[in-house]
Amino acid sequence: MPTLRYEELREITVGIARALGCPPGEADVVAEALAGANLAGHDSHGIIRVEQYAKMVQDGDIVPGAPTTVVQEAPCTALLDGGWNFGPVVARRAMELGIRKAREYGTGTIAVRNSNHLGRLGEYTLMAALEGMACIGAVNNHGRGNLVAPFGGAAPRLATNPISFACPGPERPVLVDITTSVVAEGKVRIMKNAGKPVPEGWIVDNQGRPTTDPNDLYTSPRGAILPFGGLVAHKGFGLSVMVELLTGALSGAGCSQSQDARLGNSMFFTVIDIEKFVPREAFLEQATILKDYIQSAPLAPGFDEILMPGEPEFRQEERRRREGITIDEETWRQFTACAEGLGVHLSA
C-alpha cells in the first residue's frame, strides 16, 4: 500500500480539482478538505471521495465555481444557496459568515441548501473553535435518505446525519464529530475496498438480517446502516430525526424521502461568541477543571489514558504528518485512475 506525505496527497488532489473545473482558490479548499480528512484519520471522508466527486461533476450534479447566494438574511441568521458547488467550498463560506455574525451579535445561525457533499463536518465547527467560539453543526443528505434504517425498521429511510460540536479547550479544542448512525457510509466503503468484513452491529442486509459483509450495503435493493445505540438505538434515531428537521426542513432543501432525490448536504450551523457570555479565560478555566476531573477517573481495564473528544484526531494528524498517510490499494487504484483520466501528473 502506498504511503504519501500530506503535501503530496494534497498537491495531486488540487490538480484533480482544477482539472474538474474548480477555480484555483476553490480547488485548494476542496483538496485541503479531502487530504485533511485523511490526515486526521478519517479516510472515509478523504480521497476515497475523489472518484465520486469526478463522476458527479461529469453528470452535472456538482457545479464547480458556482456562487453562494444569500436567499434571506437577518442580523443573526442567513439562508444560503450553494448553487450545487463543492460542499467544502460552500461550507467554508457558510462558517465564515456565521463567525462574522457571532462576532458582531453574539450568535450566528446559518442554514444552507443546494450544496454537495462537504466531507468531514468537524472541519467546519473546528473553524469556530480556533476563533475562540463554540459551534454546533449538522447535515443531512438533501432529501436522499437511503442509507440508515430507522429504529425498528428493516430498510433504509435516513441519511447518516452527522452532528458536530466544537469549542476552545485547555490545550487544544474540544471536538465532537459523530454520525447519528453506528458508522459513516464511507467507513463501510473503506472496508469494502480493503476486502475486509465490517464489525457486527454496523449493517443489515436488504432483508433486515445482521451481516458483516460490506457488499450487502450496496446491493439492489440495498442493505442499511443501523442507528447508533445498539439496544438503545432509539437515541441515535431520535438525534437523526432532529438533524433532518434542522437541516432539510429549516433550509428548504428537504428531509429524507427518496433515493431518487439529488444527493448533497443541506447544512445547519450555529456559532456562539463565548465572550458575549463570559470572559474567555473563565470559560477555559471551567474547561480545564472539567478535563482534569474527567481524567482523574480510575482507568477501565485495557485503557492507559482517558482522551478528551477530538484528541484522537489531533494525535493522528501529528502521527501522519511524521509518518505519512497510507492508502489502501483499491482506493489508490481509483484515485490514480481518476487523476490519469483527467491528465493530472502523479508526483507520488
Side-chain angles (χ1 to χ4, degrees), residues 117-160:
H117 184 262
L118 57 70
R120 183 171 70 106
L121 179 59
E123 174 184 346
Y124 309 102
T125 57
L126 187 59
M127 287 173 60
L130 294 174
E131 292 290 330
M133 300 186 182
C135 184
I136 303 168
V139 300
N140 82 343
N141 271 14
H142 214 284
R144 187 165 174 170
N146 60 334
L147 289 168
V148 181
F151 181 66
R157 289 294 183 273
L158 294 161
T160 56

Side-chain angles (χ1 to χ4, degrees), residues 13-348:
T13 310
V14 167
I16 292 173
R18 288 182 177 174
L20 289 171
C22 278
E26 295 183 16
D28 291 341
V29 170
V30 173
E32 286 166 7
L34 293 173
N38 286 111
L39 187 65
H42 289 279
D43 297 328
S44 56
H45 292 69
I47 65 159
I48 194 172
R49 298 286 177 173
V50 165
E51 184 182 57
Q52 170 190 341
Y53 287 4
K55 184 177 188 306
M56 295 180 83
V57 171
Q58 291 158 6
D59 291 345
D61 292 327
I62 295 177
V63 183
T68 299
T69 56
V70 177
V71 179
Q72 58 182 353
E73 187 173 17
C76 296
T77 64
L79 171 60
L80 304 182
D81 187 311
W84 291 107
N85 201 340
F86 281 96
V89 174
V90 180
R92 185 162 287 273
R93 289 171 177 167
M95 278 301 306
E96 289 170 347
L97 178 59
I99 290 168
R100 289 199 301 272
K101 286 181 175 291
R103 186 169 286 121
E104 183 170 0
Y105 298 107
T107 65
T109 297
I110 313 296
V112 183
R113 65 190 185 208
N114 298 339
S115 171
N116 220 285
H117 184 262
L118 57 70
R120 183 171 70 106
L121 179 59
E123 174 184 346
Y124 309 102
T125 57
L126 187 59
M127 287 173 60
L130 294 174
E131 292 290 330
M133 300 186 182
C135 184
I136 303 168
V139 300
N140 82 343
N141 271 14
H142 214 284
R144 187 165 174 170
N146 60 334
L147 289 168
V148 181
F151 181 66
R157 289 294 183 273
L158 294 161
T160 56
N161 290 351
I163 187 167
S164 178
F165 305 81
C167 68
E171 292 91 22
R172 296 198 260 203
V174 178
L175 172 64
V176 175
D177 184 10
I178 60 173
T179 54
T180 55
S181 55
V182 172
V183 69
E185 178 273 333
K187 294 189 185 299
V188 180
R189 196 186 305 186
I190 287 284
M191 302 299 278
K192 177 178 179 289
N193 282 359
K196 297 178 179 178
V198 299
E200 293 182 1
W202 275 21
I203 63 173
V204 293
D205 66 15
N206 57 23
Q207 302 299 309
R209 299 172 300 200
T211 178
T212 60
D213 183 351
N215 294 287
D216 285 335
L217 183 62
Y218 303 99
T219 56
S220 182
R222 70 189 310 159
I225 303 172
L226 295 172
F228 86 72
L231 295 176
V232 290
H234 61 280
K235 298 182 179 183
F237 168 60
L239 285 173
S240 182
V241 170
M242 287 307 303
V243 168
E244 287 281 358
L245 294 170
L246 288 173
T247 58
L250 195 65
S251 71
C255 296
S256 291
Q257 55 195 285
S258 170
Q259 63 180 348
D260 296 323
R262 188 168 180 175
L263 180 63
N265 283 152
S266 60
M267 310 174 200
F268 170 86
F269 294 111
T270 287
V271 185
I272 303 163
D273 185 351
I274 291 167
E275 292 196 334
K276 294 293 195 298
F277 294 84
V278 296
R280 185 178 181 186
E281 293 74 17
F283 182 91
L284 291 175
E285 180 182 2
Q286 288 300 313
T288 301
I289 290 170
L290 176 64
K291 176 179 181 290
D292 290 346
Y293 184 59
I294 288 170
Q295 294 182 329
S296 72
L299 295 174
F303 288 83
D304 55 15
E305 62 180 326
I306 298 171
L307 298 178
M308 291 295 285
E311 188 63 26
E313 288 88 347
F314 297 136
R315 291 189 182 185
Q316 184 72 276
E317 179 176 337
E318 291 171 350
R319 185 179 304 114
R320 289 189 169 191
R321 281 192 186 277
R322 290 194 311 268
E323 302 173 3
I325 300 168
T326 300
I327 310 296
D328 71 82
E329 294 289 353
E330 177 58 19
T331 299
W332 182 246
R333 184 197 66 76
Q334 293 173 6
F335 181 69
T336 56
C338 182
E340 290 166 358
L342 291 167
V344 176
H345 174 66
L346 297 176
S347 59

